[in-house]
Amino acid sequence: PTMAHSKALLVLENFIGGKFVPCSSYIDSYNPSTGDVYCRVPDSGKEQVEDAVKAAKDAFPIWSSKSPLERSQILNKLADLIEQDLEAFAQAESKDQGKTITFARTVDIPRAVHNFRFFASSILHHVTECTEMPTMGCVHYTSRAPVGVAGLISPWNLPLYLLTWKIAPAIACGNTVVAKPSEMTSVTAWMMCKLLDKAGVPPGVVNVVFGTGAKAGEALVCHPDVPLISFTGSTLTAQRITEKSAPHCKRLSLELGGKNPAIIFDDADLSQCIPTTVRSSFANQGEICLCTSRIFVQRGIYSEFLQKFVAEAKKWKTGNPSDPTIDVGALISKEHLEKVRNYVKKAQAEGARVLCGEGVDRLALPPGNQKGYFMLPTVIAEVKDESCCMQEEIFGPVTCVVAFDTEEEVIKRANGVKYGLAATVWSRDVGRVHRVAHRLQSGLVWTNCWLVRDLNLPFGGMKASGIGREGARDSYEFFTEVKTITIKH
Ligand code: NAD
């Protein structure tokens, strides 16, 4: 691993069979807060994926025959090592992704650590099933075994957090893995590889191949010796992965995009609801699949809500992500920033009102960040439900606020998009909260809170937001093959 080359660029290498391996060609990676190229990422393809899959296949017999307790101890050790380097990981994640150092310190890296600890623990507590058939003289029981080489593909918004959410359960269950992080945010995965040996992860159990989706990602998806793919990313890419993996009948877990509603009834506790909804709209620059982007407010409190919500959104400071007082960092890329800005322009052209942020308020940036990909938290009102801003995933610091009258009406409108990932409901009426939660087409429903997660329980989306669930039991089921055995006595 090197800090080399003329301009002291950070140069990453693939991690295959326990060794760092250079690649023949590289992709530039940008620092989103300055617009400078600062890192070179291997541009891997079929050949590198082939080597990684071979290393993973070779490591499988030994790793899969270890006891859950042995694997658990290794995962815990890895968690400790990442935690010891938490600050370095957080700095790297912030620089690579554009997110604020505060978010990386308090959310991304602690959660990556927790992912390993959580699955290190949960793998020790699964039970299989057993039934009896006395009249036949039989008992039946199930047994579960790891599947083989798991292909893991992750996005750029929560780089190490989402990658470890896949690696941890996959290897805890006894699989070996080939992981492909996003080409835009590869640094923390590479840093983690440096700790694997020390943690006791045998060579070949975790292989990381860097590169683009089209080359490295697709080579992994199409590899005949990778029977299962866990993917987090956009719905469009998931469609392509589904097509490409179909000839091999692969097992797929797909965690995709969202267009998440917040439904705010007139009895909501606004003192809680407003700061939480600002956070759910703008945390991590709005680049979280669970972020709120359609806010339905009951008509009686609509103007009060709007005025207070905009005032609260304006408190969020945008600027240099390495400044710990900053709330909003840079978006991932120039192209993405352009795309997000265009949504605001389209809304304006349709007659919607931009209440704060893009095009309305002045964005003042420090001299070193003038070329960064920044955008102010933007609130749009009076957007039509059929507008692209209310239908498509924007994945930036933009949220739309609209009024509604009745419970029946708002459920219909909230469900009126192709996605179904996460919804929030704000009301002090317990009966209503239950009724609405049951009728929302959404894999997760938070009431009177946001982003409170118990990793034991299923996580995932409905409709275009995904297929399958991950969590203690769900990940265990996904990453193992079950067998039913019948014994006649
Ligand atoms: P993306 O789909 O462009 O890329 C995700 C990953 O897939 C990257 O590693 C990419 O290189 C790879 N990839 C791209 N094309 C591929 C192909 N043809 N074959 C194999 N791999 C390919 O998504 P993104 O822009 O990196 O991430 C943002 C998206 O991820 C948003 O839609 C967001 O909602 C979604 N997301 C979902 C969740 C969830 O848990 N549901 C979490 C975070 C992000």
Side-chain angles (χ1 to χ4, degrees):
T2 42
M3 268 291 286
H5 292 258
S6 51
K7 286 185 197 157
L9 291 179
L10 179 64
V11 182
L12 310 189
E13 291 176 327
N14 288 326
F15 188 72
I16 299 174
K19 294 198 174 69
F20 285 97
V21 191
C23 195
S24 51
S25 61
Y26 289 84
I27 313 161
D28 287 339
S29 182
Y30 292 81
N31 174 340
S33 70
T34 62
D36 297 329
V37 173
Y38 87 106
C39 171
R40 307 190 76 212
V41 176
D43 183 16
S44 311
K46 271 199 181 131
E47 199 185 311
Q48 291 75 18
V49 168
E50 185 63 49
D51 292 346
V53 173
K54 185 171 182 313
K57 266 181 85 174
D58 290 348
F60 182 74
I62 291 179
W63 183 248
S64 58
S65 61
K66 284 194 188 298
S67 72
L69 184 60
E70 283 175 285
R71 293 196 293 258
S72 168
Q73 284 161 343
I74 294 173
L75 262 68
N76 274 322
K77 182 87 203 289
L78 183 55
D80 292 344
L81 291 172
I82 298 173
E83 195 169 49
Q84 279 165 25
D85 276 355
L86 193 143
E87 183 56 22
F89 272 100
Q91 294 282 354
E93 202 74 297
S94 168
K95 186 170 184 180
D96 204 24
Q97 207 275 341
K99 65 178 66 227
T100 65
I101 185 64
T102 306
F103 200 82
R105 272 181 194 145
T106 57
V107 180
D108 288 83
I109 310 305
R111 173 59 189 273
V113 171
H114 187 60
N115 285 337
F116 284 112
R117 289 206 180 118
F118 178 81
F119 286 104
S121 164
S122 77
I123 196 63
L124 303 176
H125 305 291
H126 294 294
V127 287
T128 52
E129 292 163 285
C130 178
T131 60
E132 291 182 68
M133 264 184 187
T135 55
M136 301 291 290
C138 286
V139 293
H140 309 275
Y141 69 94
T142 58
S143 90
R144 285 193 171 266
V147 183
V149 179
L152 312 177
I153 301 176
S154 56
W156 49 255
N157 62 331
L158 300 165
L160 194 65
Y161 170 139
L162 289 173
L163 188 67
T164 54
W165 173 240
K166 299 183 185 308
I167 293 178
I171 65 173
C173 291
N175 302 283
T176 56
V177 309
V178 176
K180 210 254 356 125
S182 168
E183 62 275 28
M184 286 186 270
T185 54
S186 295
V187 175
T188 49
W190 170 77
M191 287 169 70
M192 183 195 70
C193 292
K194 297 201 241 180
L195 305 176
L196 294 174
D197 181 48
K198 202 169 168 197
V201 180
V205 171
V206 175
N207 305 276
V208 182
V209 171
F210 298 102
T212 65
K215 264 175 79 180
E218 221 155 290
L220 188 55
V221 167
C222 296
H223 200 294
D225 295 336
V226 179
L228 115 182
I229 300 284
S230 173
F231 168 79
T232 300
S234 65
T235 304
L236 206 63
T237 304
Q239 286 165 348
R240 174 118 188 133
I241 290 177
T242 306
E243 270 178 41
K244 288 281 164 183
S245 63
H248 305 279
C249 295
K250 294 196 182 196
R251 186 188 291 207
L252 297 180
S253 171
L254 306 171
E255 301 282 358
L256 315 176
K259 188 66 192 171
N260 310 308
I263 301 175
I264 298 163
F265 286 99
D266 58 12
D267 65 340
D269 176 353
L270 289 188
S271 70
Q272 300 269 333
C273 168
I274 286 172
T276 304
T277 309
V278 168
R279 200 162 53 83
S280 73
S281 297
F282 304 125
N284 204 46
Q285 300 71 245
E287 295 168 330
I288 305 180
C289 54
L290 307 167
C291 274
T292 302
S293 64
R294 297 180 293 147
I295 304 175
F296 295 92
V297 185
Q298 205 158 19
R299 198 161 318 266
I301 56 163
Y302 180 71
S303 17
E304 180 194 358
F305 177 90
L306 212 52
Q307 183 245 320
K308 289 185 175 162
F309 185 77
V310 169
E312 186 72 21
K314 283 187 166 190
K315 288 187 198 158
W316 278 48
K317 287 203 304 182
T318 304
N320 188 351
S322 59
D323 173 347
T325 68
I326 288 294
D327 307 290
V328 183
L331 273 68
I332 185 67
S333 67
K334 204 171 176 173
E335 295 71 31
H336 187 58
L337 174 65
E338 234 14 75
K339 184 181 147 198
V340 176
R341 279 189 173 145
N342 273 330
Y343 275 107
V344 182
K345 286 199 194 108
K346 281 186 207 161
Q348 277 170 316
E350 288 168 0
R353 264 194 318 139
V354 180
L355 300 177
C356 66
E358 176 68 16
V360 176
D361 300 303
R362 206 178 79 82
L363 171 60
L365 291 168
N369 299 107
Q370 298 290 328
K371 290 198 190 128
Y373 318 132
F374 294 91
M375 180 173 170
L376 291 168
T378 301
V379 180
I380 312 180
E382 281 129 50
V383 197
K384 294 192 183 67
D385 283 9
E386 56 285 4
S387 158
C388 61
C389 288
M390 286 286 279
Q391 291 291 325
E392 295 169 19
E393 182 182 49
I394 300 175
F395 220 55
V398 177
T399 197
C400 300
V401 188
V402 295
F404 74 91
D405 291 294
T406 68
E407 185 178 312
E408 196 59 31
E409 170 206 338
V410 78
I411 291 170
K412 199 158 170 245
R413 291 172 68 190
N415 287 340
V417 293
K418 69 174 182 174
Y419 294 106
L421 187 56
T424 47
V425 180
W426 291 86
S427 168
R428 283 187 267 212
D429 177 339
V430 178
R432 173 151 69 188
V433 158
H434 281 291
R435 270 196 316 275
V436 175
H438 281 283
R439 292 182 61 195
L440 286 172
Q441 297 166 346
S442 182
L444 302 143
V445 181
W446 279 296
T447 72
N448 302 319
C449 64
W450 178 71
L451 208 61
V452 181
R453 287 270 296 119
D454 177 348
L455 304 190
N456 280 297
L457 300 188
F459 176 91
M462 297 182 181
K463 299 171 23 183
S465 293
I467 294 180
R469 297 290 184 273
E470 295 183 351
R473 191 183 167 122
D474 296 86
S475 298
Y476 178 61
E477 289 177 354
F478 179 72
F479 285 112
T480 55
E481 195 76 80
V482 69
K483 193 180 288 176
T484 302
I485 299 170
T486 303
I487 309 285
K488 187 164 161 48
H489 51 82

